[in-house]
Amino acid sequence: MTVAAMSVSAGMSAAAPADTVPVVSALIHGPYSVAAPHATSTKDAAGRAFTAERLLDYPLAVAGKGVPASLDGLTVTADGLSTGVITFAIKSKGYCNVTIPVTGTEAFKVTVDGKEADKPVGLRPGSHEVSVAFVAAKDARPRISVVPSVAGAVEVSDGSAARDITLGDILHGDRFTGTSLSADGTMALVRVTTTHPGGKTTRSADVYRTSDGKKVATVDAGLEWMPASPLLYGTRMSGDDRQLYTLNPADGSVKVLSHNLPEGGLLMSPTEDFVAINVVTKGPKEGEVYQILEPEDRQPGWRDRRSVVVRDLRNGLTRPLTFGAVTSWATDISADGGKVLVMSQRSRLAKRPTQIFDILLIDTQTARCDTLVSGDGFVENALFSPDATKVLVKGCAEAFDGAGLNLPEGRTSSMSDGQLYILDIASRKVDPITRDFDPAVNGAEWSRADGKIYLVAEDYDYIRLFSYDPATRKFDRAVSGEDIVANFALPRKGRNIVWVGQGASNSDRLYVTDSARKRNLRLAAAKDEQLAGVRLGKCEEWNFVNSRGDTVQGRFYLPADFDPAKKYPVIVNYYGGCAPIERTFESRYPHQVYAAQGYVVYVINPSGCTGRGQEWSSRHVNTAGEGVAQDIIEGTKEFCRTHDFADSTRVGCIGASYGGFMTQYLQTVTDIFAAAISHAGISDHTSYWGEGYWGYSYSELAMANSYPWKDRDLYVGQSPLYNADKIHSPLLFLHGDADHNVPVGESIQMFTALKLLGRPTAFVAVADQDHHILDYDKRIKWQDTIFAWFDKYLKGDSSHWDALYPPKEL
């Protein structure tokens, strides 16, 4: 970019009210003298002559923040040309456009938040990093200023102080997506997914020594530990040959165990002499005019069926353990390799639940089958006890003919409230071990090292790792130190537990914990270094007692520069689906980023969410928002009443999926919200029930044993669409136009109703996105849309919205 070009772009905003803010101090790398290259011709292969600007094609690879210095004292002293980098920070108080004039250089390039800025740049509220790479001649004095489109809209600093968190801090960097532990507990593996600016994603895995936390190797992300050997195993392709191989992380040596392995998920035998493979047989295809056999047949791959085969690693023999048109898959192998636990699934549409499961015990040599559980639609997974005399079954409270139910008479349990059972193989006796345990189980493992059951469970808005001792029948916290236990792994022997934790104000961290002494050793932190210069506001727990006498749990986030004497707009966020809004740092609705933009964020977990007992979660069933909405309304009013800094006239609300429905429903029963956002929300329970891929199956949970033809009050009376005339709050609809869970028509029909009623509304569809907005660039604009809508109606500033969606005369 040339100086002249920047002068033109700066002039583009000259008509708007503006003031020029000089960059007084910055962090500086250089200037470094650069000799002119030897010219082999007058022009390069692209037909360009060598100019000072060509040096910008070779960016300076700077390390660290640079040296704080005054720009008034910056003068190039070396003969010829010199190059350097100047970085500084801009804090935008609201959305505004800025231009960044640069003088005193031969050539320069400006980037804002990592993107080249060759024209006015729109800045969302918050902190932004600016970098100016320059080429200058001797005695030049590079100077920089910032020209905002709104006078007083920005503050400029050298960037050395802590800054506010941004969306980029959430999107970019490492995440720990899984972990495993070697059989002897001495080595831990963590899978790392890295998102780079621009959206590129890379995956790898790191191996750590648990004794001292030293990283010893980086390996392929698809590897797992062998059950007994200190080796990793996985698959790879060599031409058309799918190979099963091991890798020794100590010396990098590789050994191929088997060739031409069938496609499918692997389960290595504890004896390491065979693998069980869940292979897929493709079902019959139809043409462009096609028959749908049953509701699930709309889903891609529904006609495919899984079955279990065994590959003998000693001789290469592959034997089928299951066969047929009923899908089946292996879940566990006994310690001696003699038995495999298999689950099978089939449809039963005339009765809730419509999908039912069998749990089978199959001999790996004879394929003889013993059916442990038959036709139970409320079971989900099965694992062996260490001695294979019992089976740990995960399901919901209605499993085993309701053996796990702990509810008042006449109530139906939530199928999303996870429970655990111990099934004795010989007697078939079932022990519902979590019936009186309030946290909702997400996953569990039965330790071969100490005989305890370890379970990850939702505990209010925390996710904790608990242990259960079958001998004493007592639960205990297994690890501590983080709000969220994302995943964990156990060894076959020893006391180590490796786990990944996260908090409301920190990203992923990898730990190894001595289960006896409960001492943590941190092995790695995904973003601690990346976020070292970022300041975060406080996150505080806040609960209230509702009009029914219930304590409703929640928390709130404050801006980092919070001033208790000020009044702040408030954003209220509540659960979607059935799970509470957990204390996750990098959620789809990053509460810390909202707070950094000048909002107080109130997160409430009202009636119906899992994590605090069966009675509480059952309130999600056959209520369609009744009770949940009252909790949110009462909580919002009480929060504003008891916190002077909360402006009750500027409160917005947001939710997704069931939370999107809740956003719509709330506007039909209250006028306390000055702005509302529904992402992928249900507007009509009857249309959603029949159209979404999982509409009728979700209704088995949320509308248990109720159907549109049996309960019009529930399906129609509680649908926002049939109460649209009661809505007056500005309501934004966001929806992926390829959403197969909640079809986009749910937003279209509600938007249409509000437009016909003349109510303030907007509808933004995201092309080719499903229920979650996963595309990198689209997610950024989707998030900006949320920021802009709240800015427009809670801050009275429509500039960001108008920049994203300029008014159109149609």
Side-chain angles (χ1 to χ4, degrees), residues 566-582:
K566 290 178 60 177
K567 286 280 191 179
Y568 290 88
V570 178
I571 296 174
V572 181
N573 187 207
Y574 28 79
Y575 72 87
C578 307
I581 298 182
E582 297 144 356

Side-chain angles (χ1 to χ4, degrees), residues 175-188:
R175 292 174 184 83
F176 297 158
T177 53
T179 187
S180 60
L181 196 58
S182 63
D184 61 4
T186 62
M187 305 286 278

Side-chain angles (χ1 to χ4, degrees), residues 109-303:
K109 181 184 291 184
V110 179
T111 59
V112 178
D113 296 333
K115 293 185 177 181
E116 187 171 351
D118 57 356
K119 57 185 178 181
V121 178
L123 300 183
R124 66 175 70 91
S127 299
H128 304 272
E129 183 180 271
V130 182
S131 176
V132 179
F134 68 89
V135 179
K138 184 178 181 181
D139 297 328
R141 302 177 63 201
R143 297 295 181 265
I144 307 169
S145 56
V146 177
V147 183
S149 58
V150 178
V154 301
E155 297 174 355
V156 177
S157 66
D158 66 9
S160 60
R163 60 173 177 81
D164 291 336
I165 191 170
T166 68
L167 182 60
D169 295 316
I170 300 296
L171 293 178
H172 305 145
D174 293 342
R175 292 174 184 83
F176 297 158
T177 53
T179 187
S180 60
L181 196 58
S182 63
D184 61 4
T186 62
M187 305 286 278
L189 177 142
V190 62
R191 284 178 284 280
V192 183
T193 298
T194 305
T195 302
H196 305 272
K200 181 182 177 182
T201 298
T202 55
R203 292 176 175 84
S204 62
D206 294 326
V207 179
Y208 293 87
R209 199 163 54 207
T210 58
S211 59
D212 57 9
K214 181 180 179 181
K215 184 165 74 171
V216 297
T218 295
V219 299
D220 186 86
L223 294 173
E224 292 278 359
W225 289 104
M226 292 286 281
S229 308
L231 304 174
L232 295 161
Y233 78 95
T235 62
R236 66 182 186 184
M237 295 300 298
S238 178
D240 295 330
D241 180 15
R242 185 175 186 237
Q243 300 175 348
L244 177 68
Y245 73 102
T246 61
L247 170 70
N248 187 336
D251 59 16
S253 60
V254 171
K255 179 181 179 182
V256 176
L257 299 182
S258 194
H259 294 271
N260 299 312
L261 203 69
E263 287 283 348
L266 302 181
L267 194 59
M268 179 67 71
S269 169
T271 55
E272 298 187 354
D273 55 356
F274 72 88
V275 289
I277 308 172
N278 296 319
V279 299
V280 176
T281 300
K282 296 291 185 181
K285 296 185 179 297
E286 303 250 3
E288 293 184 357
V289 179
Y290 55 93
Q291 180 187 15
I292 295 176
L293 301 179
E294 60 178 75
E296 298 281 342
D297 194 20
R298 296 174 298 153
Q299 299 186 37
W302 175 81
R303 294 188 178 189

Side-chain angles (χ1 to χ4, degrees), residues 8-68:
V8 171
S9 68
M12 292 170 65
S13 61
D19 60 349
T20 298
V21 182
V23 178
V24 177
S25 61
L27 303 177
I28 302 174
H29 287 271
Y32 304 107
S33 177
V34 180
H38 168 70
T40 59
S41 62
T42 57
K43 294 184 179 180
D44 64 10
R48 302 173 302 178
F50 178 76
T51 64
E53 193 170 3
R54 296 282 73 78
L55 292 177
L56 297 176
D57 295 340
Y58 308 93
L60 189 64
V62 298
K65 286 189 171 184
V67 179

Side-chain angles (χ1 to χ4, degrees), residues 281 305-307 322-328:
T281 300
R305 295 292 184 265
R306 284 182 290 172
S307 60
T322 67
F323 173 82
V326 175
T327 199
S328 60

Side-chain angles (χ1 to χ4, degrees), residues 299-486:
Q299 299 186 37
W302 175 81
R303 294 188 178 189
D304 300 342
R305 295 292 184 265
R306 284 182 290 172
S307 60
V308 183
V309 303
V310 168
R311 165 64 64 87
D312 191 317
L313 301 181
R314 296 164 298 187
N315 55 29
L317 177 65
T318 302
R319 297 178 289 108
L321 281 190
T322 67
F323 173 82
V326 175
T327 199
S328 60
W329 63 98
T331 64
D332 201 5
I333 302 173
S334 62
D336 64 3
K339 303 287 185 182
V340 177
L341 277 175
V342 172
M343 292 193 68
S344 67
Q345 176 184 4
R346 59 189 186 277
S347 297
R348 179 193 62 186
L349 298 180
K351 183 180 178 182
R352 171 184 176 268
T354 56
Q355 302 296 311
I356 57 176
F357 303 89
D358 298 336
I359 300 177
L360 312 174
L361 183 65
I362 300 181
D363 188 289
T364 56
Q365 295 301 316
T366 66
R368 181 179 175 180
C369 177
D370 184 7
T371 301
L372 303 180
V373 177
S374 178
D376 193 330
F378 301 104
V379 298
E380 180 182 325
N381 195 28
L383 300 171
F384 278 116
S385 64
D387 62 2
T389 62
K390 297 177 177 65
V391 175
L392 180 67
V393 179
K394 182 179 181 293
C396 63
E398 293 180 77
F400 298 103
D401 296 321
L405 285 170
N406 183 10
L407 282 173
E409 188 69 26
R411 295 282 282 276
T412 302
S413 70
S414 171
M415 293 171 65
S416 66
D417 198 329
Q419 305 293 321
L420 289 180
Y421 303 83
I422 295 176
L423 169 64
D424 184 86
I425 294 175
S427 68
R428 298 298 201 265
K429 181 180 178 181
V430 173
D431 182 6
I433 63 174
T434 57
R435 181 171 55 194
D436 300 313
F437 180 70
D438 284 344
V441 179
N442 290 341
E445 185 174 343
W446 205 325
S447 172
R448 288 182 167 90
D450 62 15
K452 294 180 180 180
I453 295 169
Y454 289 82
L455 55 144
V456 169
E458 297 163 353
D459 189 14
Y460 288 71
D461 58 353
Y462 295 83
I463 298 180
R464 306 191 194 275
L465 181 63
F466 297 90
S467 66
Y468 173 78
D469 189 336
T472 63
R473 302 182 63 82
K474 290 184 179 179
F475 290 91
D476 189 18
R477 285 276 301 279
V479 300
S480 60
E482 296 285 354
D483 297 343
I484 302 290
V485 176

